[in-house]
Amino acid sequence: MTESAGTSQERRPPSRKRLGYGEGREALLRAAVRVVGRRGLRHLTYRAVAEEAGVTHGLVVHHFGSRDALIEESLAYAIRTSLSSSLLEPGTGRPDDFVAGLTDMVEEDADGQAYQYELLLEARRRPELLPQVRELYAEYFGASQRELDRILPPGVSPAFNRLVFAALDGLVLHQLTGIADRADTEACLAELRSLLRDLGERPPDGD
């Protein structure tokens, strides 16, 4: 009897967290971002998210109902959290402050950054996700445009802004995937800031 009881206890599944509605939903969205960032979108399942969040499988179904809803809402969550921690608009107009801390962000939020690249590729296959992805990038473009306008009065063209952001996006991707390391990213950012300083000191055309 003692041996049987011990075996039963060993086989008992681990207890799950009991979370309130809001807290549970937030935990599931964070878990979805981590699952996709680490393992790819094809591994985003109810069970994977529940296991990552430490909650029951049924809680995922209760909050989202379908895998498509989970994908769409986790993308909206990623947009909100990414923009709240954006480094693109420090508001100082100083080149040295532009995207300061970018390398730290890549290291500290690797799953969140990888998630965004996964969803970019998924939007190519699923056009219904494209409006949210475009919304994310429109906010990024807007933040960088406003800061570059401060750095380079009387402002820069939208094309130049996109060029700068594309360079930053590529640096993040390269560091995230290991194509480049932290030192490589910092060296490229130093070159970009030097270019912005030079452009800011150049007199307007015609002077």
Side-chain angles (χ1 to χ4, degrees), residues 117 120 132-142 165 169:
Y117 289 118
L120 277 173
Q132 284 183 288
V133 172
R134 283 178 170 163
E135 177 188 349
L136 172 63
Y137 273 77
E139 294 287 348
Y140 284 153
F141 293 148
F165 184 83
D169 209 20

Side-chain angles (χ1 to χ4, degrees), residues 63-80:
H63 282 298
F64 302 105
S66 71
R67 183 175 180 270
D68 285 345
L70 178 58
I71 292 173
E72 292 177 7
E73 293 201 39
S74 63
L75 177 55
Y77 172 79
I79 291 172
R80 294 194 304 272

Side-chain angles (χ1 to χ4, degrees), residues 99-161:
V99 293
L102 183 73
T103 51
D104 290 333
M105 181 202 70
V106 177
E107 292 179 353
E108 294 168 4
D109 187 34
D111 292 337
Q113 299 306 309
Y115 173 92
Q116 292 183 45
Y117 289 118
E118 286 280 346
L119 266 293
L120 277 173
L121 293 174
E122 185 65 16
R124 183 175 181 269
R125 295 182 288 266
R126 296 179 52 184
E128 67 270 19
L129 296 177
L130 194 56
Q132 284 183 288
V133 172
R134 283 178 170 163
E135 177 188 349
L136 172 63
Y137 273 77
E139 294 287 348
Y140 284 153
F141 293 148
S144 62
Q145 180 79 55
R146 290 188 295 271
E147 193 61 24
L148 289 173
D149 285 344
R150 296 185 185 100
I151 295 172
L152 302 173
V156 300
S157 69
F160 182 83
N161 176 50

Side-chain angles (χ1 to χ4, degrees), residues 140-207:
Y140 284 153
F141 293 148
S144 62
Q145 180 79 55
R146 290 188 295 271
E147 193 61 24
L148 289 173
D149 285 344
R150 296 185 185 100
I151 295 172
L152 302 173
V156 300
S157 69
F160 182 83
N161 176 50
R162 279 182 174 261
L163 177 63
V164 170
F165 184 83
L168 296 173
D169 209 20
L171 292 176
V172 170
L173 180 60
H174 286 186
Q175 184 180 339
L176 183 67
T177 57
I179 294 174
D181 60 20
R182 181 189 181 97
D184 295 324
T185 304
E186 291 288 4
C188 292
L189 291 175
E191 289 288 340
L192 173 61
R193 293 181 184 120
S194 177
L195 172 63
L196 294 177
R197 279 192 295 271
D198 289 345
L199 291 173
E201 294 169 358
R202 182 178 302 173
D205 292 342
D207 289 359

